[in-house]
Amino acid sequence: MLSFQELVTAIPVVLKAGNVPAIVGEAGIGKSALVQTVAEKMNAKLFTTVVSLSEKGDLAIPIPPMTEKAFVKTSAYGELADVKFGYTHTLIEIIQWAQAHPQQPIIWFLDEFNRGTQAVQSELMNLVLQRQINSLRLPDQVHMVLAENPDATMAGFETSDYGVTVGDAAINDRTVRLVMQADVSDWLQWAKSKGNIIGSVQRFIEENPQQLAPKEHDDDLYPTPRAWERVSSNLQALGELPADEQQRLRLDLLQGDLGVTVGQSFEQFVRQQTAGLTAQEIYAGDTLKPAVAQIFNEAGIDQQQSIMNSLIQQTDTYPLTDGTYASRFTTLLNLMPVDAQFAVALKLTEVPDLLERLYQAAQETPLVKQLYDQLTAIGLKNNVN
């Protein structure tokens, strides 16, 4: 398997040798961005055809000419049409560009090649193997590059379940298969150079590299390098809305790109980054650092709420049944306005069995009892009001 940067070097080598590279990689891993980068490196003009969206006849469609000379008359068999071919507009553009720029390399990128039907793949066969379709030959400066999703017949992808059409043996024999893998350092380098991947996304991947393209994910939606790019653009657009609307919409937008599990994890990360305090900073050391308490005390109510909600979401990692964590949580809770304290108490009730576990731990741990008593007092006060 090769990384993005390794493929940027390898693909021009294959093309220079006169061969056709077939890039194999999971959906959203960055195959299109890779080919675009290769084209820029080679100073080549890039044309793209999405094979999965093509139908039989799209490449060269027989059409009868409409002039008298187009018809062949026979003495015994009637009149025949001398059929010519109308070519897809992309192929016309390629030929025109080659004529106008004879010294510039051209890359014709056939994306999602094995997601096209068998009929479409067969139609492209001569183009890939013989560089010819009907009587038309491709200019020498045109280089073909294929991209495919893995199928179960490929080594290392035995469990793949993409809806693909297994490639013809002749195609496999005449192309160079280059398997692409997600590489965190490569992606981060690309993200920083691209300039439109926001800082929170970059920092999250730096701290959680396994989330760039995780092997374990939700069944329906899951993060890919392409999904993280969409997240970045969505968050930039979301940032133009009022703060309350951002908070209301953000999680749903994230889950729509990343799935529920990773979407919730990244939402928690964003809240921590916005607030400026993380659970690690709050719970680090033997005692709560004065600087941490000061940052929390000077934060706005919304930021304080976000910090406390983040701590509640991480009670599996930092259980409030532990005296140290309970004490820090109580200290921050007491720095909040009364109404905000009640909101935190309500949030705690949403964690299954947490209050029951706090009650049991309070019987043996004074610091946990202090938190439990505080929550009880908050609840009683609001019930009276």
Side-chain angles (χ1 to χ4, degrees):
M1 292 189 176
L2 299 173
S3 68
F4 185 99
Q5 292 300 328
E6 289 170 334
L7 285 168
V8 168
T9 301
I11 291 174
V13 171
V14 174
L15 294 177
K16 186 176 181 180
N19 296 314
V20 178
I23 307 163
V24 175
E26 304 283 354
I29 200 172
K31 298 185 291 293
S32 298
L34 168 66
V35 176
Q36 183 176 355
T37 301
V38 169
E40 292 171 355
K41 180 181 180 180
M42 294 177 58
N43 191 30
K45 178 66 175 178
L46 176 63
F47 294 90
T48 299
T49 296
V50 181
V51 178
S52 63
L53 301 179
S54 302
E55 297 181 1
K56 182 176 173 57
D58 281 356
L59 190 63
I61 306 172
I63 55 172
M66 301 304 292
T67 64
E68 279 292 325
K69 294 181 180 180
F71 296 93
V72 179
K73 296 182 179 181
T74 68
S75 59
Y77 304 105
E79 192 175 68
L80 302 175
D82 183 8
V83 176
K84 301 296 181 183
F85 293 89
Y87 293 95
T88 178
H89 190 65
T90 299
L91 184 52
I92 293 171
E93 288 181 325
I94 289 173
I95 299 299
Q96 291 177 335
W97 188 274
Q99 287 182 313
H101 308 84
Q103 302 304 317
Q104 185 180 18
I106 295 173
I107 291 178
W108 191 358
F109 179 38
L110 301 180
D111 197 9
E112 298 187 350
F113 187 84
N114 62 344
R115 300 192 74 170
T117 65
Q118 190 65 59
V120 171
Q121 290 189 37
S122 297
E123 193 172 54
L124 291 167
M125 185 80 73
N126 284 337
L127 198 59
V128 176
L129 304 184
Q130 306 297 333
R131 299 178 58 82
Q132 183 171 340
I133 181 76
N134 301 319
S135 60
L136 178 67
R137 297 189 63 84
L138 285 179
D140 292 340
Q141 72 206 78
V142 177
H143 304 284
M144 310 292 295
V145 177
L146 278 59
E148 299 181 323
N149 291 132
D151 68 66
T153 68
M154 298 178 180
F157 296 102
E158 288 79 5
T159 60
S160 292
D161 57 357
Y162 288 99
V164 300
T165 302
V166 177
D168 187 282
I171 288 285
N172 295 335
D173 186 53
R174 299 289 185 87
T175 58
V176 180
R177 180 181 294 170
L178 302 172
V179 180
M180 183 178 183
Q181 65 176 351
D183 182 90
V184 174
S185 60
D186 273 359
W187 188 85
L188 288 172
Q189 180 180 341
W190 170 83
K192 291 173 182 176
S193 64
K194 189 174 177 63
N196 66 345
I197 306 299
I198 61 176
S200 59
V201 170
Q202 295 185 39
R203 289 192 296 273
F204 182 79
I205 298 301
E206 285 175 342
E207 297 180 19
N208 305 273
Q210 75 282 1
Q211 299 292 19
L212 178 61
K215 293 181 180 179
E216 296 182 4
H217 49 66
D218 298 340
D219 291 335
D220 55 345
L221 290 173
Y222 53 90
T224 64
R226 183 166 58 202
W228 284 113
E229 185 176 6
R230 291 199 304 271
V231 165
S232 184
S233 59
N234 284 342
L235 289 182
Q236 289 183 70
L238 186 64
E240 299 176 6
L241 300 180
D244 59 336
E245 291 189 36
Q246 291 184 41
Q247 293 186 12
R248 187 167 62 252
L249 298 175
R250 186 169 58 209
L251 179 58
D252 287 309
L253 289 177
L254 294 176
Q255 291 178 341
D257 275 324
L258 305 173
V260 173
T261 303
V262 180
Q264 289 178 344
S265 178
F266 184 63
E267 162 72 8
Q268 173 184 306
F269 178 84
V270 170
R271 286 180 177 274
Q272 290 174 347
Q273 294 293 310
T274 302
L277 284 177
T278 66
Q280 292 91 330
E281 291 173 326
I282 292 169
Y283 292 132
D286 296 331
T287 60
L288 182 66
K289 296 178 181 178
V292 171
Q294 181 178 355
I295 292 173
F296 184 90
N297 193 41
E298 294 176 353
I301 295 176
D302 288 343
Q303 288 183 318
Q304 289 181 343
Q305 192 73 54
S306 295
I307 294 170
M308 299 301 282
N309 288 346
S310 174
L311 296 182
I312 293 170
Q313 291 170 5
Q314 298 181 78
T315 51
D316 288 339
T317 305
Y318 304 99
L320 295 178
T321 52
D322 179 287
T324 299
Y325 302 141
S327 176
R328 308 282 176 90
F329 193 95
T330 304
T331 299
L332 297 184
L333 185 63
N334 287 330
L335 293 174
M336 301 179 73
V338 174
D339 290 344
Q341 289 182 16
F342 183 62
V344 171
L346 286 178
K347 197 71 176 178
L348 284 167
T349 64
E350 297 176 7
V351 181
D353 302 322
L354 178 57
L355 293 181
E356 177 63 25
R357 285 183 277 123
L358 283 176
Y359 173 78
Q360 294 176 358
Q363 310 310 309
E364 300 178 1
T365 308
L367 293 176
V368 177
K369 184 177 186 303
Q370 182 181 1
L371 173 59
Y372 185 82
D373 290 345
Q374 176 72 0
L375 294 172
T376 302
I378 292 171
L380 289 174
K381 183 174 181 179
N382 280 272
N383 286 334
V384 170
N385 293 340

